[in-house]
Amino acid sequence: MDALDELLRRPTPSALVALDGAVLSLNAAMARVLGRSVEQCLGHGFGDLLPASQVTAVESLVAHAATTNTVAMRVLEFPGPDTASVVCLVEARSVNDPAGREPLVWVHSLNAGNDRGGLLIPFRLAAKAADLGLCMYSPQERELEWLGGAPALAALFPEASMPLSEVVRRVHPEDREPLRRLMTSTAARSPWIKVRFLTERDGCHHLACQSRRIILGSGGPERVLGVIRDETTWEARRRRALVALSAERQRADEIAAFSSAVMTAVTEQEVRQVILTRLAATFGGTGAALALVTKDRLRVSSDAGIPLPVAAVHGLPLDAPSPLPYVIRTGKPQFIPDQEDYIRCWPNGAMVPYFDQLDTGYAISITPLGPAGEQPLGAWLVTYDSTHHSSLDERALMVTLADLAGQALKRVRLQEARVELAAALQQTMLPTLPEHLPGLEVAARYRPSRDGLDIGGDWYDAFVTPDGAVALEIGDAQGHDVDAAAAMGQVRASMRAIAAHEPDPATVLMRTNELLLTMQAARFASCTMLYIDPGDGRVTGASAGHVPLLYARDDGSHSIRELPGGPVLGVLPGADYPEETFTLGKDAALVMVTDGVVEGPALTLDAGLERAGKLAAQAVHDGLNAEETADLILDDAVAENHLDDVAVLIIRRT
């Protein structure tokens, strides 16, 4: 074993391994480059002690030396004693064991000090195969040396060696600090960083860089290897994809906003505004117009971007030989990419002062507001100031949105017709207040709801009973629609008819409740009813689940008077309605309101009653008459953004 021991006494890393690769003995230098103690290496496979990327190379080296009885050499990368790996030129040769056992393989590092560049060849080949660039940084010289790799990346470095300062100068200012950290990193392998690098010939390149520390040979100098990947093309594709994605998101947002705005429009004017402000932008056009049919003629509105000749179709008959009337008549959209296609498809329509007068680059898309076979509503059109070929997806989307707009238009028109009918019905039901009541002023105000239809179930009434008392009532039938208005009229008419034969409010409420239950009325109603003697101001009152009265005095004080009573009308059979009697003082006023006056999104009932009571008391104190006081209370309720119906009935003793 003396000869073998002599092999291990060399200062360079040396080891004796069996033919299966197991380490039988090694010197301290070999243990050091393996990053372990001698004891930790003995008995282990030599390849197992190296990085996984080196296993195949080690096994091939040992097998070659053992089987061919020749000297084999290979550059291997060892783990190293710290975070820097050690790259060595390793020789393997077969040696005889004097003890007569199987041959051994002597693996040892050669001195590559005169050709350290040879140690980098495996790195260069790997970089080239991966289409990467490879450079090396010398911390002592502060020089960056280009080692090769992908030929396309070599153009980034016109010189084989460059000072680090020159490299940094070409890097975007925002990326210089990350580059410095990369070059001075103490990690065995750094994370990838991205830098923008300016070349002399072809501008800015987007580079991804990674560094790793290596030692060239056992005891050799430390260097930093830099691996470079050019992502300029990929970055350009990524940016284009981001731009396209952003455009798609923006278009999706515009489509969603368009749909929402159309579906929430409550008047035909609002539908028109949505279309003319949003349509062209949604489909990338330069102008938009909306044509609606009125008495078989087109009524056209347009935005400022529409070409002037298009406006000439206003008043055009529905049977005119032109694409816009054709689309409305047939329900078939027309997507015309340019003027040449227009004239080819519409030789007669070209006689109309319209699309043929535009430049040849103009394009137009016309879509009906509803499918074929239905009553023609109209159509919209989008113009483009250059040739435009609509994709199938764009056409389908335009048809869908046009159909949505048509549905909104029909809904709005139906709604407006119902509102007109209901408003007319309601106006006929609002009573005429009695005039010239001795010693009394009566005033009333009503404002419909702004939620749903612009009508509701609030009502008031005032009339003189057969025995000379003044009857006052205010109430609220459930709902804000035509049925609510009808229910309101039904209740009011019933109460007036019953009051003609009954001497007190409690009996009127009881009989009205029984009548509504007998009729199986679909709506219930709250109500307050008063009888007032004009001579002495004696008041008798009862309530059916209605809000309290307000009593305002001429000294500026007020009180909230909650009358006795029973449940709302039309719900509970056999309900009783107790009543109360009190006196209305001279120059004092009673204020009767519905809940819309004293309740709101930001106002509780108690706070609303107090607010209205103060206003009424101040008005009486200031000498305002009943009409002026009613206006004051109504205006305050509207200013509070109340959404419900509001009704006010005031009786003032003078």
Side-chain angles (χ1 to χ4, degrees):
M1 296 290 290
D2 290 343
L4 298 181
D5 290 342
E6 185 66 27
L7 296 177
L8 299 179
R9 290 195 185 99
R10 299 194 177 197
T12 57
S14 298
L16 291 171
V17 301
L19 295 184
D20 62 1
V23 178
L24 301 178
S25 58
L26 72 164
N27 62 10
M30 178 61 81
R32 188 164 48 253
V33 298
L34 289 172
R36 303 166 185 258
S37 66
V38 171
E39 291 73 15
Q40 291 173 325
C41 298
L42 292 175
H44 291 278
F46 190 58
D48 297 336
L49 302 175
L50 272 68
S53 61
Q54 303 295 299
V55 172
T56 302
V58 169
E59 292 176 349
S60 173
L61 180 69
V62 172
H64 189 87
T67 57
T68 63
N69 202 26
T70 59
V71 175
M73 293 184 187
R74 195 149 200 162
V75 175
L76 295 180
E77 185 177 355
F78 293 83
D82 52 19
T83 55
S85 60
V86 181
V87 182
C88 297
L89 177 60
V90 176
E91 179 186 85
R93 64 173 64 191
S94 178
V95 295
N96 292 322
D97 183 357
R101 292 179 298 188
E102 63 181 15
L104 305 178
V105 176
W106 176 40
V107 180
H108 66 106
S109 171
L110 299 175
N111 183 3
N114 293 328
D115 184 22
R116 289 198 172 98
L119 300 177
L120 299 170
I121 291 176
F123 297 96
R124 292 165 58 188
L125 294 175
K128 185 175 183 180
D131 201 30
L132 301 173
L134 187 68
C135 61
M136 184 172 66
Y137 174 60
S138 303
Q140 293 78 15
E141 293 82 10
R142 296 183 64 80
E143 289 277 327
L144 198 69
E145 181 181 355
W146 178 253
L147 299 181
L153 281 162
L156 300 178
F157 296 89
E159 301 175 11
S161 180
M162 296 175 63
L164 181 61
S165 59
E166 175 63 17
V167 175
V168 171
R169 185 185 67 81
R170 297 189 181 189
V171 170
H172 191 282
E174 295 178 2
D175 300 335
R176 289 172 183 172
E177 184 56 34
L179 178 64
R180 290 190 182 97
R181 290 199 301 268
L182 180 77
M183 303 307 293
T184 57
S185 172
T186 58
R189 191 187 298 268
S190 75
W192 288 92
I193 68 162
K194 296 182 183 294
V195 298
R196 286 158 288 182
F197 189 80
L198 185 64
T199 64
E200 295 179 350
R201 293 189 301 174
D202 50 357
C204 184
H205 281 250
H206 292 264
L207 306 179
C209 305
Q210 186 185 55
S211 69
R212 54 178 306 190
R213 296 170 60 213
I214 64 170
I215 296 173
L216 296 178
S218 176
E222 183 174 318
R223 295 288 186 265
V224 178
L225 281 184
V227 181
I228 304 171
R229 181 173 63 240
D230 191 348
E231 296 184 343
T232 304
T233 303
W234 177 86
E235 181 68 20
R237 286 198 300 267
R238 186 184 73 87
R239 288 180 180 274
R240 287 195 296 271
L242 287 176
V243 169
L245 178 61
S246 177
E248 285 299 317
R249 286 177 176 170
Q250 181 177 348
R251 183 168 184 181
D253 290 343
E254 290 174 349
I255 292 168
F258 185 100
S259 303
S260 176
V262 164
M263 293 308 296
T264 55
V266 295
T267 66
E268 184 172 315
Q269 175 63 22
E270 288 185 10
V271 174
R272 183 184 299 110
Q273 290 172 196
V274 169
I275 292 172
L276 295 183
T277 55
R278 294 180 177 272
L279 182 59
T282 301
F283 290 97
T286 55
L290 175 66
L292 299 178
V293 178
T294 302
K295 297 180 179 178
D296 291 332
R297 288 191 175 272
L298 304 188
R299 179 163 49 92
V300 179
S301 305
S302 63
D303 65 7
I306 205 79
L308 288 177
V310 173
V313 299
H314 184 75
L316 200 66
L318 195 56
D319 58 358
S322 188
L324 183 56
Y326 170 82
V327 168
I328 298 174
R329 289 195 312 270
T330 64
K332 298 178 180 179
Q334 294 286 298
F335 301 96
I336 303 168
D338 50 37
Q339 188 197 71
E340 180 181 348
D341 187 76
Y342 173 80
I343 296 174
R344 179 178 58 82
C345 295
W346 298 94
N348 295 325
M351 301 302 294
V352 178
Y354 179 44
F355 199 59
D356 59 313
Q357 294 189 4
L358 303 176
D359 294 337
T360 56
Y362 269 96
I364 189 168
S365 297
I366 310 173
T367 316
L369 301 180
E374 296 186 358
Q375 182 69 26
L377 286 173
W380 72 32
L381 55 88
V382 180
T383 59
Y384 304 85
D385 60 5
S386 60
T387 299
H388 180 79
H389 294 274
S390 301
S391 66
L392 293 178
D393 289 342
E394 181 180 286
R395 296 183 180 192
L397 179 61
M398 190 173 287
V399 169
T400 299
L401 291 183
D403 185 55
L404 191 66
Q407 294 177 32
L409 190 62
K410 287 187 285 187
R411 170 182 54 80
V412 163
R413 288 179 173 178
L414 178 61
Q415 181 97 330
E416 290 176 344
R418 293 184 66 195
V419 168
E420 290 176 4
L421 174 62
L425 172 65
Q426 191 177 52
Q427 286 300 318
T428 62
M429 292 181 176
L430 291 177
T432 301
L433 298 181
E435 299 179 357
H436 310 301
L437 294 174
L440 295 175
E441 289 180 354
V442 179
R445 296 291 184 271
Y446 174 78
R447 181 72 61 89
S449 166
R450 286 180 292 140
D451 181 23
L453 291 176
D454 288 334
I455 59 170
D458 288 12
W459 87 90
Y460 61 84
D461 201 358
F463 53 91
V464 179
T465 65
D467 60 2
V470 177
L472 301 169
E473 63 182 71
I474 193 167
D476 183 359
Q478 173 198 12
H480 305 110
D481 52 23
V482 176
D483 293 335
M488 172 268 289
Q490 192 176 48
V491 174
R492 188 179 67 80
S494 299
M495 291 183 67
R496 180 175 279 220
I498 294 171
H501 305 283
E502 298 296 341
D504 58 81
T507 305
V508 174
L509 292 179
M510 181 183 66
R511 295 287 173 82
T512 303
N513 181 59
E514 292 173 353
L515 177 62
L516 293 179
L517 289 169
T518 302
M519 296 169 60
Q520 297 182 336
R523 306 294 179 103
F524 61 82
S526 66
C527 180
T528 291
M529 189 168 193
L530 306 177
Y531 276 23
I532 300 179
D533 187 327
D536 58 9
R538 184 169 170 269
V539 180
T540 303
S543 174
H546 201 67
V547 296
L549 287 171
L550 297 172
Y551 192 128
R553 304 174 185 87
D554 61 350
D555 62 359
S557 65
H558 75 280
S559 59
I560 299 171
R561 196 171 196 107
E562 189 161 1
L563 297 175
V568 294
L569 304 174
V571 174
L572 185 64
D576 289 327
Y577 296 89
E579 61 187 21
E580 177 182 333
T581 300
F582 60 93
T583 300
L584 176 63
K586 290 186 177 181
D587 289 326
L590 291 177
V591 180
M592 306 169 73
V593 298
T594 55
D595 56 2
V597 177
V598 290
E599 279 188 304
L603 193 67
T604 64
L605 176 61
D606 290 341
L609 287 169
E610 185 65 25
R611 181 187 182 103
K614 286 181 178 180
L615 280 174
Q618 187 64 45
V620 172
H621 177 268
D622 293 342
L624 301 184
N625 60 29
E627 297 284 347
E628 293 168 329
T629 304
D631 285 335
L632 185 68
I633 293 175
L634 181 68
D635 291 344
D636 183 71
V638 172
E640 272 294 300
N641 198 31
H642 293 189
L643 300 177
D644 203 355
D645 301 18
V646 290
V648 180
L649 180 61
I650 295 179
I651 183 81
R652 182 167 181 258
R653 190 177 176 201
T654 62

